Amino acid sequence: MNLSDRSEYLRSLFHSISQGCGLVGITIGGFVLAGWALGIEMIKCVLPGQVAMNPLTAITLILMGGSLRLANADEARARRHGAAIVLAGMVGAIGFARLAASAFGWRFWLDQLLFGSELVKYDPPNHMAPATAICLVLFGSALVLLEVHSRHLVNAAQTLAVAIGAIATFWLTGYAYGAGSFFGIGDYLPMALPTAFGLFMLSVGLLCARADAGLMRVASRDTTGGVMARHLLPAAIAVPVVIGWLRILGEHLGLYDSAIGTALQVLAVVAVLSALVWWNAKLLSRIDDERRKVERDLHASEERLRLTLAATGFTTWSWNLEDDSIAWGDRAAALFGREPEALPTRSEGMRPLLHPDGRHRLTRDILGALRAGSEVDLQAAVAWPDGERHVLGVRGSITRDAKGRVVWIVGVCWDITERTRIAEDLERSRLEQMAARDRFASHLSHELRSPLTAIYQFVTLLRDGLVGAITPAQREYLDLALRNVLQLRGMIGDLLEASRARSGKLAIEPACMELADLVCDTTQSLAAAAASRRLSLTVETPPGLPMVNADPQRVRQVVSNLLENAIKFTPEGGSIRVTIEPPGGRDALVVAVADDGPGIRVEERERVFEQLYQAGGPGERSRKGLGLGLYICRELVTRQGGRIWVEPGVERGSVFRFTLPVFTPAAALGTLWNAERLAVHPACLVTVRLPRGHRGISSDAEEAAAVAARGALERCLVAGEEKLLRSDSGTRQDARLFVVTIADDAAAQRLLERIRAQLAECASLRDANLDAEISMVEIGPAPGAAAVSALSERLTAAIREDLGGAELREAA
Amino acid sequence: MSRKLLVIDDDTDVLKGLTVRLKANGYAVAQAVDGMQAILAARRERPDLILLDIGLPGGDGYSVMERLRSMRPLARIPIVVLTALDPATHQERALQAGAAAFLQKPVENEALLGAIRGALGDSGAPPPAAKARGVG
């Protein structure tokens, strides 16, 4: 049985004893009353010829038993405890009245109340013995003292209980030793036998009622002292009594006379007590041995732990959350660069030890672990006295009680400063390297363009006949040179793009846009190039396509790239088809560029998207570019949430396909678009329209104004509540910006005001003489998931309508 | 009346090529190879449009633009930026600083001529729009 089980067992043992004793008291009282009622002498007196228990005494026994049992009730049951005090008070009052009556010579009539006629049949008439009255007063006081929850009063209560026990024992031994002419006090009767027995049991019950405190504490604990008390005390009380009784018995039977009897008694007591002590000593010795063994094992285990820690550099720590105390292992002080005395023993003492940056994160991590986890695994930045920052790794295990509250955490910590420093340096140098690479590519691209410009200019000047007439052959050669210049220009651009892609600096700004128009536009712009190689170029876009969430400039780049490749690799007279495939339930649109050129071999279909990879194979031109185009395409597509791949064409050639995510408010707005808010507030769509195509304003200036307006809007929006949706409807249309928020009318109006004010202050708009038109539409609210998705569709439709989706599309 | 352009570029070859091309398209052309020359030439020649490479050494390109914008008689002249610098980094900045257009070298002749025509305005009068100043 382990420690806590054993304590539990002892506690319930004493509780049961106390309850049992209370029950005994009640039973005896009840029996005696029955005896009076039914006239059975045996019950009333037990021993023939002896005094009978007074009925009132019987009643008080019942009251005392009941009071004791009530006092043993669970602490929470205040009524029971109140009742116990009341009963005990009554008992004490009865006893006190009896004594007072005797002291002042009053006539005490209470004990004559019941069975009065029977009482007087005795000589002297049966009444409550003074001794009994004294015990009643003692009991009442003892129980009341017990109910007052104070350590000192428990001592007093238990002393009173002992007094009751002593008095009862005195009469009991008297009866046991057959003191025939057992006297009372003056005219008063002795205590009746059942009364003595009942009072004795009740005193035991009183002592056991609060066995965990006061005098009884030592007997109820699971210590060697407790063992001894529980074994020896009963023996120490019972043995002399029994031996005394045996002696008297022997004398009565005439076995020996008084002197020998005394000698025998002494001898017997000595023998029995010595045996008891010896037996108890053996028991305690064995217990002690066991404990020492356990201690030795514990020491050995601790030693092993200490050596392990010394070898690994780990240090232990433990935090007891019940009393907020922290204990540290041996070398903890060294981890903090301080003396052992300076280490805090309470959690608020930890604050000065922690380094300011990282303190918040550390607190957050700890709280998170305390809330839900069973382990602690984190890094803590600590500040040494000289200000230096060190980093410690911390791991620990959390122990919770039955209610899930954290009781204590214990773990190890060790120094990881070097390791973190190396990691940080590595990261820093990686970033520096990327920045350097980026600067290099930028610089390179810049430097290469200048001479290229000069070449282009002079070649075109010659070719255009501005430096003298040229022959057709000369023109042809100059055209060749020009073509290569343009190719070189493309390659320089690719170089810079690829470098950006590698260092993660590709600027991608998703907007909601109509894919079909853009694809048609881009294809159109390459029509001439295709025509020059007698390639047929067609575009097919089904109607009713949803909008996509992508960067129009980048999509244009990808489509151009794929088309340029197709044009480059498809032999003359071939055909190229560009299609947009309908979504068919997927949440993405697929754009396909199919050619009927030589195709790409199976093993190369993955590799063509790698940097600097050029698919081998025959072709008119030996140089095919840097091999960066498809790599850039892949980066651009994947950064926008799509995929790109190549498949063989139906009969021959290749089909390059890439996907772009369909625009949905949920996808574009992220966490802003949450169903809970939508259930309560409508979705407000603010449209800012910037007219375009005005005479006298260059498209660049318009573009700059649009950019400035966008910046101004972004600055005035509340993050997390309002979001700017970019959109692109092609350069032909007015520029449109959308702001979405989910809010009540008042908040939406405030937003409108803010937007108006911000745009009014935008300098670029003013200078370009552009007047922004601002309008707002409220849709919803939408309680329930189905309503939310319907609302999403309506919002998308509203945006689309604003973009003029239906009219935009012209025959491709 | 033929319009006068001021071309500012530190690369003399590019400068020459541009000049020939522009002259062939009917413009009168003045040249400058650095910031100082640029301001002097602008004052002296009062061009209808300035073609500027903001990649002038020493960060001069932007400071030239600033100075031009700050000098009362010159501030109204539209500036078309033609540069080898990367548009991703410089386009927005140039436009905020007051450029009417941004072109990256090497630029096709048609695009260059189109941008110049656009900045001069269809009818030839300088557009009132070309006054954007400062950062918005």
Side-chain angles (χ1 to χ4, degrees):
Chain A
M1 205 187 295
N2 69 25
L3 271 173
S4 57
D5 282 349
R6 197 148 168 77
S7 310
E8 198 49 45
Y9 163 72
L10 285 172
R11 201 180 24 249
S12 64
L13 175 69
F14 280 95
H15 180 82
S16 312
I17 294 176
S18 187
Q19 292 286 72
C21 291
L23 190 60
V24 165
I26 296 175
T27 317
I28 293 178
F31 265 115
V32 165
L33 279 179
W36 279 104
L38 302 172
I40 306 178
E41 278 303 307
M42 175 83 163
I43 302 176
K44 292 185 281 184
C45 319
V46 180
L47 288 181
Q50 297 300 338
V51 171
M53 185 195 283
N54 183 279
L56 181 63
T57 312
I59 290 175
T60 58
L61 270 185
I62 296 176
L63 291 180
M64 286 193 280
S67 165
L68 185 62
R69 283 187 71 90
L70 285 171
N72 272 322
D74 200 29
E75 293 226 352
R77 311 190 79 144
R79 290 233 292 262
R80 295 205 173 182
H81 287 275
I85 294 179
V86 164
L87 290 180
M90 281 166 65
V91 164
I94 292 174
F96 187 74
R98 179 80 186 85
L99 289 174
S102 314
F104 296 118
W106 303 334
R107 196 174 158 280
F108 188 65
W109 45 267
L110 208 56
D111 57 2
Q112 308 299 311
L113 218 50
L114 275 169
F115 305 108
S117 48
E118 303 286 315
L119 291 179
V120 298
K121 287 189 187 155
Y122 293 91
D123 176 38
N126 190 287
H127 56 262
M128 181 187 285
T132 309
I134 294 175
C135 289
L136 291 185
V137 171
L138 290 175
F139 183 93
S141 320
L143 196 109
V144 168
L145 285 176
L146 269 188
E147 284 295 311
V148 174
H149 295 283
S150 155
R151 290 217 101 84
H152 305 294
L153 294 181
V154 173
N155 271 331
Q158 287 177 346
T159 312
L160 293 178
V162 167
I164 300 176
I167 296 175
T169 310
F170 174 67
W171 295 103
L172 275 176
T173 48
Y175 279 110
Y177 292 1
S181 56
F182 215 74
F183 51 89
I185 300 170
D187 282 329
Y188 297 107
L189 289 176
M191 193 189 280
L193 177 55
T195 312
F197 182 68
L199 282 172
F200 179 78
M201 294 306 282
L202 284 167
S203 85
V204 167
L206 263 181
L207 286 172
C208 294
R210 287 268 186 283
D212 55 341
L215 302 174
M216 286 296 284
R217 183 165 156 72
V218 92
S220 65
R221 293 181 66 204
D222 180 33
T223 53
T224 45
V227 170
M228 190 159 135
R230 284 191 293 281
H231 287 133
L232 284 190
L233 268 181
I237 297 171
V239 162
V241 170
V242 167
I243 291 180
W245 178 76
L246 282 175
R247 179 219 154 155
I248 291 198
L249 187 66
E251 275 188 17
H252 273 199
L253 294 178
L255 291 176
Y256 40 75
D257 67 16
S258 182
I260 296 186
T262 311
L264 282 177
Q265 180 181 14
V266 168
L267 191 63
V269 168
V270 164
V272 169
L273 285 183
S274 307
L276 276 179
V277 168
W278 173 84
W279 167 70
N280 208 41
K282 252 189 68 157
L283 181 66
L284 291 182
S285 191
R286 184 168 57 79
I287 293 178
D288 228 16
D289 277 340
E290 277 173 15
R291 296 212 173 159
R292 275 196 206 183
K293 179 173 177 311
V294 167
E295 258 172 54
R296 269 199 307 274
D297 288 345
L298 187 63
H299 271 301
S301 160
E302 274 189 11
E303 189 62 19
R304 273 201 300 281
L305 179 65
R306 200 178 61 75
L307 289 172
T308 313
L309 290 179
T312 54
F314 282 28
T315 298
T316 54
W317 55 270
S318 77
W319 181 17
N320 184 332
L321 273 92
E322 284 176 335
D323 57 4
D324 189 28
S325 64
I326 306 180
W328 298 98
D330 283 339
R331 276 176 316 288
L335 284 180
F336 292 94
R338 289 172 166 78
E339 296 301 312
E341 305 82 54
L343 288 179
T345 49
R346 302 186 67 83
S347 59
E348 63 247 6
M350 285 299 296
R351 206 155 190 277
L353 266 64
L354 299 176
H355 200 271
D357 51 272
R359 203 182 269 155
H360 283 292
R361 214 194 63 180
L362 181 65
T363 315
R364 200 192 57 209
D365 286 346
I366 292 179
L367 287 177
L370 286 180
R371 237 198 318 274
S374 62
E375 275 187 6
V376 166
D377 183 3
L378 43 84
Q379 296 182 354
V382 299
W384 278 30
D386 59 7
E388 248 187 66
R389 179 175 179 268
H390 289 247
V391 184
L392 303 182
V394 178
R395 295 201 70 151
S397 161
I398 299 177
T399 310
R400 295 174 189 272
D401 64 9
K403 294 192 186 138
R405 284 188 309 233
V406 180
V407 177
W408 68 320
I409 319 177
V410 65
V412 292
C413 55
W414 68 107
D415 189 294
I416 55 171
T417 313
E418 260 321 294
R419 207 184 72 188
T420 344
R421 199 166 291 162
I422 290 174
E424 281 168 5
D425 283 348
L426 212 63
E427 177 66 11
R428 199 181 11 245
S429 83
R430 184 184 75 93
L431 289 173
E432 271 169 17
Q433 221 175 36
M434 287 211 317
R437 209 188 294 149
D438 200 49
R439 278 194 304 272
F440 172 70
S442 243
H443 181 73
L444 191 68
S445 132
H446 171 250
E447 291 307 306
L448 290 176
R449 285 174 190 272
S450 291
L452 196 59
T453 309
I455 296 173
Y456 172 82
Q457 282 168 341
F458 294 115
V459 164
T460 50
L461 282 173
L462 284 167
R463 182 177 148 280
D464 291 346
L466 292 170
V467 214
I470 53 169
T471 68
Q474 284 171 334
R475 159 172 265 124
E476 191 195 325
Y477 287 8
L478 287 166
D479 273 336
L480 267 171
L482 192 59
R483 206 160 57 185
N484 280 271
V485 162
L486 293 175
Q487 186 174 23
L488 197 53
R489 183 182 70 172
M491 292 188 343
I492 295 174
D494 280 355
L495 192 74
L496 192 54
E497 280 282 79
S499 162
R500 289 248 168 73
R502 245 196 338 261
S503 50
K505 283 200 165 95
L506 278 182
I508 296 184
E509 295 176 347
C512 60
M513 49 171 274
E514 298 281 2
L515 190 56
D517 292 312
L518 191 132
V519 168
C520 291
D521 244 6
T522 317
T523 312
Q524 195 62 33
S525 67
L526 286 164
S532 73
R533 284 173 53 78
R534 296 185 296 113
L535 298 166
S536 105
L537 181 57
T538 53
V539 165
E540 227 176 81
T541 58
L545 289 173
M547 296 191 290
V548 293
N549 198 28
D551 184 329
Q553 188 197 344
R554 299 305 191 173
V555 174
R556 198 170 281 133
Q557 206 173 339
V558 172
V559 172
S560 296
N561 210 303
L562 292 178
L563 277 175
E564 279 162 8
N565 278 355
I567 293 172
K568 219 182 330 189
F569 289 103
T570 310
E572 296 214 354
S575 72
I576 303 173
R577 276 181 63 225
V578 180
T579 46
I580 303 183
E581 289 160 18
R586 288 177 305 227
D587 49 6
L589 288 185
V590 181
V591 177
V593 176
D595 66 64
D596 55 4
I600 299 178
R601 291 199 296 268
V602 182
E603 56 270 17
E604 292 189 305
R605 285 190 202 135
E606 271 299 308
R607 306 204 56 196
V608 285
F609 293 99
E610 286 170 22
Q611 287 186 72
L612 307 174
Y613 188 87
Q614 294 163 337
E620 285 181 11
R621 315 156 56 86
S622 51
R623 275 165 308 146
K624 292 176 174 63
L626 280 175
L628 288 174
L630 285 175
Y631 167 74
I632 295 171
C633 284
R634 188 182 65 183
E635 290 299 305
L636 290 174
V637 166
T638 44
R639 295 277 172 85
Q640 296 185 79
R643 267 179 59 222
I644 184 168
W645 69 100
V646 62
E647 290 166 359
V650 176
E651 289 169 28
R652 57 178 185 281
S654 329
V655 182
F656 279 84
R657 286 196 168 85
F658 68 93
T659 67
L660 291 171
V662 164
F663 171 83
T664 57
L669 297 170
T671 52
L672 184 72
W673 190 253
N674 85 46
E676 274 157 19
R677 289 199 71 161
L678 282 172
V680 183
H681 298 304
C684 306
L685 177 69
V686 177
T687 308
V688 175
R689 197 173 137 263
L690 296 171
R692 255 198 197 143
H694 283 189
R695 297 179 73 90
I697 306 179
S698 76
S699 62
D700 270 349
E702 280 177 342
E703 183 60 35
V707 166
R710 200 161 66 212
L713 276 184
E714 265 167 359
R715 275 194 297 276
C716 77
L717 296 181
V718 176
E721 290 196 3
E722 299 151 356
K723 192 152 168 119
L724 180 69
L725 274 185
R726 299 214 167 92
S727 75
D728 188 272
S729 47
T731 51
R732 287 165 291 169
Q733 276 288 318
D734 304 337
R736 273 180 181 73
L737 296 165
F738 297 102
V739 176
V740 179
T741 184
I742 304 174
D744 59 26
D745 205 48
Q749 290 300 326
R750 281 196 298 272
L751 173 63
L752 261 188
E753 285 314 308
R754 242 183 297 142
I755 291 178
R756 283 208 182 93
Q758 199 75 15
L759 288 178
E761 286 175 25
C762 181
S764 305
L765 280 183
R766 257 207 320 269
D767 291 338
N769 265 340
L770 286 177
D771 279 325
E773 278 172 35
I774 308 174
S775 60
M776 180 165 83
V777 127
E778 285 184 12
I779 314 176
V788 168
S789 73
L791 197 147
S792 292
E793 281 173 26
R794 280 175 61 196
L795 186 67
T796 312
I799 294 177
R800 199 164 205 187
E801 207 180 292
D802 254 338
L803 287 180
E807 313 129 352
L808 265 189
R809 210 110 25 74
E810 294 159 6
Chain B
M1 187 181 68
S2 76
R3 338 251 35 271
K4 192 185 299 184
L5 308 178
L6 171 60
V7 181
I8 309 168
D9 200 317
D10 64 311
D11 184 334
T12 47
D13 288 346
V14 167
L15 201 55
K16 175 165 181 151
L18 280 175
T19 307
V20 176
R21 171 62 64 174
L22 292 171
K23 277 194 175 141
N25 274 277
Y27 295 103
V29 178
Q31 298 175 337
V33 295
D34 61 41
M36 186 100 87
Q37 272 194 19
I39 306 291
L40 289 172
R43 276 224 214 97
R44 194 180 54 235
E45 304 283 343
R46 299 298 177 92
D48 298 303
L49 179 139
I50 296 176
L51 198 60
L52 168 66
D53 182 358
I54 44 171
L56 286 182
D60 247 10
Y62 282 108
S63 57
V64 166
M65 232 169 40
E66 255 176 61
R67 291 196 57 194
L68 287 172
R69 290 249 147 275
S70 68
M71 294 163 73
R72 189 67 71 83
L74 305 178
R76 297 180 83 232
I77 306 177
I79 300 179
V80 169
V81 165
L82 172 65
T83 179
L85 290 175
D86 176 37
T89 332
H90 291 274
Q91 177 165 10
E92 192 161 335
R93 187 176 165 193
L95 289 175
Q96 299 277 21
F102 184 101
L103 300 165
Q104 190 187 25
K105 292 178 188 170
V107 62
E108 262 125 356
N109 296 318
E110 303 78 51
L112 175 63
L113 293 167
I116 291 173
R117 275 197 295 272
L120 286 173
D122 280 340
S123 60
K131 267 191 309 183
R133 72 168 62 79
V135 181

